[in-house]
Structures are given as structure tokens and as C-alpha cells.
Amino acid sequence: MNRVLAWATARRAAGRAGWRGTDALLRGAFGGLGLVGAGVALHRVDLVVIGLPLLVSTVLALSVPPGRPVRVTAQKLPRSVEAGDSARVAITVDHGGGVEFTAVRLPLPGRPGVGPVHLLPGADRELRTHLRWNTWGEGVDLRPDHLAGGRDGLLVSGPVVGVESRRTVLPPLAPPPAGPLPARLTGVVGAHRSPRPGDGAEPRAVRPFRPGDRVRRIDWRVSLRAGAATGEALGSPHVRERHAEADADLVFALDSRADVGPDLGSWSTAEPGGPVRRGGSLDTAVRAIAALAAAHLRQGDRVGLVDLGRPQLGVPPGVGRRQLLRLRHQLVACTRSAGWSPRPVLRPGQVPAGAAVVVLSPFLDDAVVDAAIRAAGHTRLLLAVDVLPAELVADPETPWGGAVRRVLLAEHRVRLAALRAHGVAVVPPEGVAAALARHRRGRR
């Protein structure tokens, strides 16, 4: 009697824990009982022989009902990882016994379908899988959905949607060469030439010695030649001036209002598996900003970020490795909130005086061109980086696809020509460093 009460208590606990009967339980219980009853009523031994093992096996399988709910948890990973990183993840299965198998499904981002399903025996409590983050962005990278089965599959628990594991994959850092930038007058040390004299390495001028000059700046060769020209053993001392070296401010203005790819037919649809199109305009702009920011921060410049569509997401100029990490996280935040806004915002207060501004946009509307032209009047250098895909493919599903493509390209050429007419240099993403270098040579 005590065993019967314990079994009934365990069955009620299993029901509260989410366990329920399957069709196999109904077939085993009612089928076996019906065959045995029919065999006794009809005096058919063959029916009893068939139904009795079925009924007995069902009762034996239910003699040890499962206990508490099955919990499937994934190993904790860092909140932010690098694009291209990989990791081995341990999936832990916790149950109170009476479980014959556990089916764990691992949907992975960017892959169609339900994902691979792993079937674990009841004795196994751990599953290891491999994750690789091939593209940057933010989203769910692991969710262990699971379903558990009792003995002979008569009771099941689930399916249960697992806890989502979200990760921020930072944009990759390509190693482009960092071109020189225009100097900022307020700096006293740095990697770029300043117009004022100082203690840099680049010669500026030679002049006679004046009170207050340092003796170590005297150029004795020039002083001796000046004395020989005047017939004196030592002429008036002459001092060689050098340019001061200053840091530069570089501000990237990201146009997150539009993300377009080469296929014109896909411009009105979202990218499956993430908010950013692979190889699209926003992807190209973010990768270029991350690479250039890393290069210029490495040489001591101050780098900032402005989001033309959402100004509140900007980052003021800063230096160091923490600034690079902050910029990369903010780029992901900008793409997460990306969307069309009718008026881009690039105010003078967002850009420090004397800073170089690089606007990255596909230039699909006149508003961003007007904003860039207005900003060109407040900065020493403004570059417009065209991130529109080089080869646009017309939509084959409409007879107007070719005409739409020609109109878009014609309007795009007119906008770029307007930028050049107002003194704004237009370069591709890979030509930013070279454009900055040409600007420096022109200033010299």
C-alpha cells in the first residue's frame, strides 16, 4: 500500500513538473488492457499473450516516474567577442532521474531551418558544441531548446524554448595604413606637423638668435658661414626652427539611415539573420570606420563618431584603447537602431574646431549632400566616402528595373559632382588614407 501511495505521489509531482503522457502510453495501457479483457471474454489465449506483455511493460515503465523538470543551461560566454572568434560551449542537462533521453536542439544564427538536434541518453548530462562568429553585429547566437522523454517514451516534458544567449560581435579591425591628418593647433605633442614652431622633427626656418632662444637650437654651421660672409671669425648665432608636432582630431560621420546592397530588388526587404546586409553599404562603412579608427588611435590621434540619423548615439573624440572599444560597441549600437530618417544631422557643435571629418554614406538623397556641404564650411578637411556598391543589379522581376537603375546612378553622379563642386573630396572606402596624405602634401 505504501508503494502505491508513493507511486501516486510521484505521478502527481511529475504532472506538476510538466510531464505528460504520449500516444505510446495510451496504446500501451488501453491496448494492452483491451487485448487482455477481450482474450478473457472470448477465451482467446493468443489475445492474452499479445496484450499481457504490452500491459506489463507499460506498468513497469511507469513504476519509476520522472521527478523535477529538466533544465538545460549553456555555459556562460563573454558578452562581446571578436568577429572570426570561435569557442567550445558546454550544454548542461539537469534532471532528477527517470529520464531515458533528452533531445536538445541548437538553432544557430544565420542558418535556415531548425538547427541540429542532439539526442542524449539519460545518463549523459553534458553536450559540447562549437560556435563561430563569422559576422559582426548583435543578436542571439545560442538557444538550447529541449525535449525530455521518460522510460519507453511514455512520458515527455516539453518542448521547452531555451534561454537565449545574446552576444555583441565587434566589427573586425583590418590593417589599412593610416594617412597623416591636418594638425590641430591646440596640441603640444603628437604625430602631425603643426603650423607653429616647436620641438618637432621637421625643419621650419633659420633665423638670427633672439633673447629667450635655447642655446641647443643654435645651428653652428650656419653661424660660421654667416661669419665667413662678413669677415668675422664667428658671425651672429643663427637658430634653426622646427615645426611643433600636434595630435589630430578625426570624426567619422556614419549615415545609418540606409543599408543597401548590389541587388536593387532587395532594397525594400530586410536582411535575413541580422539587421545589416553582408557586403552592403552599412557593412562597408562600419568596417572602414573600425579599421581607420584603430590605425589613427594607434598613432595617438583623437577619434570620434557621429551618427547622422540618430545624433544621440555619437561618441566624442577620445584617445586610447578604451576609445577604440567604445567606438566599436557604438557602431554595433548604431546599426541596431539603423533606419530611415528624413533629415541627417551634422551640426558644428558635434565636430571640434579644426577636426577632419569623414562622411560615409551611399548618398541616396539630397539631404545628406546638403549636410556635408554645410559641414565643409566649418572644418579644415572633409572627405565624402561613397559606400554605394560599385555594381548595381536591376530588379529582373519588373520591366522598369533597368530604367530605375539608370535613374539612380544618374542622380548619384549628380550628387557626387555637387560635393566636388563645393570643394569636398569624394573617395572610395579604400582611398581615405591616401586622400588624407594628399591633403597633407598640399598643405606643405
Side-chain angles (χ1 to χ4, degrees):
M1 185 65 180
N2 293 333
R3 296 191 64 181
V4 174
L5 292 176
W7 181 83
T9 303
R11 285 288 298 115
R12 288 194 297 271
R16 289 193 298 269
W19 292 91
R20 67 181 189 278
T22 62
D23 294 341
L25 174 61
L26 298 177
R27 289 192 297 266
F30 292 102
L33 185 60
L35 288 174
V36 171
V40 172
L42 299 175
H43 303 285
R44 295 277 302 272
V45 179
D46 55 341
L47 295 180
V48 176
V49 171
I50 295 174
L52 188 59
L54 188 60
L55 182 60
V56 172
S57 62
T58 302
V59 173
L60 291 177
L62 293 176
S63 62
V64 186
R68 63 176 183 269
V70 178
R71 296 183 59 188
V72 178
T73 56
Q75 173 188 350
K76 290 186 177 181
L77 295 174
R79 282 284 298 138
S80 60
V81 295
E82 297 284 344
D85 286 355
S86 60
R88 297 286 295 180
V89 184
I91 310 296
T92 304
V93 180
D94 181 24
H95 57 78
V99 176
E100 186 168 344
F101 69 90
T102 305
V104 181
R105 186 183 73 179
L106 300 177
L108 299 178
R111 298 184 183 179
V114 297
V117 178
H118 305 267
L119 190 63
L120 300 179
D124 292 349
R125 300 298 182 95
E126 188 177 82
L127 166 67
R128 291 188 174 273
T129 185
H130 183 267
L131 283 181
R132 181 176 178 84
W133 299 278
N134 295 318
T135 183
W136 63 272
E138 185 180 45
V140 178
D141 58 5
L142 185 65
R143 194 189 69 210
D145 303 339
H146 59 276
L147 178 138
R151 292 189 175 184
D152 294 340
L154 302 182
L155 298 175
V156 295
S157 174
V160 177
V161 178
V163 178
E164 294 181 346
S165 175
R166 304 187 68 88
R167 207 83 52 217
T168 299
V169 185
L170 300 178
L173 299 178
L181 293 175
R184 191 167 184 265
L185 299 182
T186 57
V188 293
V189 294
H192 307 288
R193 189 197 68 174
S194 172
R196 62 190 179 89
D199 294 329
E202 185 177 346
R204 183 172 183 266
V206 177
R207 59 171 177 78
F209 184 87
R210 293 197 296 257
D213 291 336
R214 298 181 181 180
V215 177
R216 65 183 181 88
R217 290 185 178 180
I218 297 177
D219 191 326
W220 297 105
R221 293 184 179 180
V222 176
S223 301
L224 290 174
R225 286 198 297 267
T230 58
E232 301 177 1
L234 178 64
S236 60
H238 282 66
V239 175
R240 184 177 294 275
E241 285 187 345
R242 298 182 182 276
H243 282 283
E245 291 180 345
D247 292 330
D249 278 353
L250 178 62
V251 177
F252 292 101
L254 174 65
D255 187 3
S256 63
R257 303 175 306 134
D259 183 19
V260 295
D263 188 6
L264 295 180
S266 66
W267 283 17
S268 59
T269 60
E271 178 73 8
V276 180
R277 302 176 188 270
R278 293 187 181 182
S281 60
L282 195 54
D283 183 28
T284 302
V286 168
R287 290 175 182 269
I289 290 175
L292 291 168
H296 287 283
L297 286 171
R298 193 180 303 118
Q299 68 181 21
D301 297 327
R302 289 177 288 271
V303 181
L305 176 67
V306 174
D307 190 332
L308 298 180
R310 284 146 188 84
Q312 68 274 13
L313 298 180
V315 177
V319 296
R321 297 179 60 182
R322 292 178 63 88
Q323 178 72 1
L324 177 60
L325 186 62
R326 184 182 180 188
L327 284 171
R328 297 171 73 190
H329 276 279
Q330 202 64 22
L331 286 172
V332 176
C334 291
T335 56
R336 183 177 62 245
S337 305
W340 178 254
S341 61
R343 180 174 297 177
V345 178
L346 185 57
R347 297 185 294 265
Q350 297 174 279
V351 180
V357 181
V358 180
V359 180
L360 298 97
S361 171
F363 296 104
L364 294 177
D365 63 329
D366 297 336
V368 66
V369 176
D370 296 338
I373 292 175
R374 287 194 300 269
H378 305 284
T379 62
R380 293 195 172 201
L381 171 63
L382 190 139
L383 295 180
V385 182
D386 180 20
V387 295
L388 186 71
E391 298 293 335
L392 296 181
V393 180
D395 187 3
E397 298 182 359
T398 173
W400 302 98
V404 170
R405 176 181 176 274
R406 289 191 294 271
V407 170
L408 284 174
L409 291 177
E411 292 180 346
H412 186 256
R413 287 193 295 268
V414 170
R415 296 188 184 103
L416 298 187
L419 289 172
R420 296 188 182 97
H422 287 81
V424 179
V426 180
V427 296
E430 61 274 8
V432 178
L436 293 172
R438 287 195 299 269
H439 175 81
R440 183 186 183 188
R441 289 193 296 267
R443 288 176 60 87
R444 287 186 181 179

